[in-house]
Amino acid sequence: MATAPSAPLRAPLTVEFPFTRSLGPVQSAFLTGLRHRTVLGVRAADGQVLVPPTEYDPRTAEEVRDLVEVAPTGTVTTWAWNPAPRRFQPLDTPFAWVLVKLDGAGTALLHALDADGPEQVRTGMRVRIRWAEERTGAITDIACFEPYEDPDGDGSAQDHVPAPHPGRFADMVTLLTVPARLDYTYSPGRAPTDYLTALADHRTVGERCPSCRKVYVPPRGACPTCGVATDEQVEVGPHGTVTTFCIVNIKARNLDIEVPYVYAHIALDGADLALHGRIAGIPYDQVRMGLRVTPVWAGDGRYPDHYRPTGEPDADYDAYKELI
C-alpha cells in the first residue's frame, strides 16, 4: 500500500575524480617554464605564436615544436567581473576573468586579474603576471595578472624582450594532476528519500511496478522497464545473494580499507534488481557467485558498511541468473 510521503532530504554532495596525465614535449616545456617564471608559446605554420601552446597546429593539424619565449606583460582583450569568488578559484576576493594577449603572442591566455573593482578594468589595459611565491610547474604558478603602466605611457613598452626558448630547463615537468571536482546540493526526490529514511531504521525498501510486478531497489519512482509510476513500497532482505563481484587491488584515496577487497552486486531477497556493496568477513579469494550475505550496518547506522556471509548454503544459480 502507498505510504505518506516523507519530507525531501537535502545534502551537500561532492563528485571528485582527480586524474594524472602524462605530458608531451610542448606542454612539458610550457609548465616547466612557468616554474621558472618563463612563459613559452609555440610557433604555428603561419608564424603566429600560440599561448598557451598546443601540440598541433590548429589549422594544418601538423605537429609543432618551435618553442618561443614571450613576455610576462600583455594586453587585456576581453574580461568579465567575478563579484563572488568560489572555492579553489585563483583569488578569494572579487576579481576579473581576463583574456590577455601577452607581448609576442598571437593568442590570448585566460586567467584572473586582481583589481579593486570593475571600474578599474577595461579592454586594452596593460597588465603583467604576478608570479606565485611557490611554483610547482602548473598554470597556478601564475598567481594572477595585475595592472601595469608602461614606462612610456603609450602601451608599447615592454619590460621583457621575447627570445627563442634556450632549452635550459633540466627539471622537466612530465606529469600533470587535474583536480576535476563538482560540489552541489542534492535532493533525492520522493522515492529515494523513502529509501534513505528506511535505511536509517536498518530496513531496505523498494517499490513494485503495478504492471510487471517487479520490485526495484533502490526505488526510482518509476519502473525502468514499463515506464509507469511506482508507489507500492515493499521491504526486501535483509539477506541477499552475490550475483557477480570484482576484486579491488588499488587503494582509493580517503578510503580506509586494506586491499585487496571485494565489491559485489547483491540481489536482496524479494528484489528484482541487484545493488552493490562491499563483502567482508571472508577472505577475498573465497567470495563467489551465489554466496549468501547479510548487511553489517555502519557505526552511525545510516547505511550498510559491508555485507558478510550468513553461513547458509550457496543459492542455486537458477535462483539469481536473471539478476546478473
Side-chain angles (χ1 to χ4, degrees), residues 115 129 139 265 303:
I129 291 175
I139 192 62
H265 274 93
Y303 57 90

Side-chain angles (χ1 to χ4, degrees), residues 163-200:
H165 171 49
R168 62 181 177 269
F169 306 131
D171 53 343
M172 299 298 290
V173 177
T174 58
L175 297 174
L176 174 66
T177 298
V178 181
R181 179 186 176 109
L182 175 65
D183 295 282
Y184 63 99
T185 299
Y186 173 64
S187 183
R190 194 271 311 163
T193 293
D194 291 346
Y195 170 75
L196 294 171
T197 301
L199 286 181

Side-chain angles (χ1 to χ4, degrees), residues 117-151:
E119 67 280 355
Q120 302 296 319
V121 187
R122 67 185 186 279
T123 297
M125 72 181 294
R126 296 285 291 165
V127 295
R128 65 182 173 188
I129 291 175
R130 180 190 299 167
W131 295 102
E133 293 185 6
E134 296 184 7
R135 297 177 299 280
T136 61
I139 192 62
T140 50
D141 291 350
I142 299 176
C144 63
F145 282 90
E146 60 187 11
Y148 167 70
E149 294 295 334
D150 285 325

Side-chain angles (χ1 to χ4, degrees), residues 70-73 102-104 126 148 150-152 155-162:
V70 300
T73 57
L102 294 173
D103 299 327
R126 296 285 291 165
Y148 167 70
D150 285 325
D152 296 339
S156 62
Q158 301 178 13
D159 65 356
H160 178 94
V161 178

Side-chain angles (χ1 to χ4, degrees), residues 243-244 265-268 271-274 319-324:
T243 62
T244 57
H265 274 93
I266 301 164
L268 295 178
D272 293 291
L273 184 70
Y320 63 85
K321 65 181 182 180
E322 299 297 330
L323 301 177
I324 295 177

Side-chain angles (χ1 to χ4, degrees), residues 14-294:
T14 297
V15 178
E16 188 173 15
F17 186 66
F19 64 96
T20 300
R21 54 158 292 192
S22 59
L23 298 172
V26 172
Q27 297 298 323
S28 177
F30 174 66
L31 295 179
T32 303
L34 294 183
R35 186 162 61 191
H36 293 273
R37 296 163 60 107
T38 299
V39 183
L40 296 175
V42 68
R43 194 183 305 279
D46 61 1
Q48 180 176 230
V49 176
L50 310 178
V51 179
T54 60
E55 303 277 351
Y56 299 90
D57 190 301
R59 295 182 179 176
T60 67
E62 296 180 355
E63 290 187 71
V64 283
R65 295 289 183 269
D66 184 13
L67 294 167
V68 178
E69 185 175 347
V70 300
T73 57
T75 303
V76 172
T77 63
T78 190
W79 60 279
W81 186 251
N82 180 11
R86 305 185 68 177
R87 185 169 55 166
F88 304 124
Q89 288 189 335
L91 300 173
D92 56 11
T93 55
F95 65 90
W97 289 112
V98 288
L99 283 171
V100 177
K101 183 181 288 188
L102 294 173
D103 299 327
T107 57
L109 173 73
L110 174 67
H111 216 293
L113 172 66
D114 188 6
D116 293 333
E119 67 280 355
Q120 302 296 319
V121 187
R122 67 185 186 279
T123 297
M125 72 181 294
R126 296 285 291 165
V127 295
R128 65 182 173 188
I129 291 175
R130 180 190 299 167
W131 295 102
E133 293 185 6
E134 296 184 7
R135 297 177 299 280
T136 61
I139 192 62
T140 50
D141 291 350
I142 299 176
C144 63
F145 282 90
E146 60 187 11
Y148 167 70
E149 294 295 334
D150 285 325
D152 296 339
D154 60 0
S156 62
Q158 301 178 13
D159 65 356
H160 178 94
V161 178
H165 171 49
R168 62 181 177 269
F169 306 131
D171 53 343
M172 299 298 290
V173 177
T174 58
L175 297 174
L176 174 66
T177 298
V178 181
R181 179 186 176 109
L182 175 65
D183 295 282
Y184 63 99
T185 299
Y186 173 64
S187 183
R190 194 271 311 163
T193 293
D194 291 346
Y195 170 75
L196 294 171
T197 301
L199 286 181
D201 295 328
H202 292 192
R203 298 183 303 112
T204 304
V205 299
E207 288 186 352
R208 191 190 309 277
C209 172
S211 178
C212 66
R213 307 302 293 170
K214 290 183 177 180
V215 176
Y216 292 99
V217 181
R220 294 101 177 270
C223 175
T225 301
C226 305
V228 298
T230 59
D231 60 8
E232 180 186 351
Q233 196 173 94
V234 179
E235 185 168 345
V236 299
H239 296 349
T241 300
V242 172
T243 62
T244 57
F245 65 93
C246 69
I247 299 173
V248 181
N249 291 292
I250 299 176
K251 188 171 181 63
R253 189 177 68 172
N254 300 328
L255 186 61
D256 189 22
I257 300 176
E258 292 300 320
V259 296
Y261 59 91
V262 176
Y263 257 93
H265 274 93
I266 301 164
L268 295 178
D269 295 347
D272 293 291
L273 184 70
L275 48 74
H276 72 273
R278 184 169 63 94
I279 306 298
I282 184 175
Y284 74 92
D285 56 357
Q286 293 184 21
V287 177
R288 56 199 179 271
M289 295 172 65
L291 179 69
R292 296 284 292 163
V293 294
T294 194

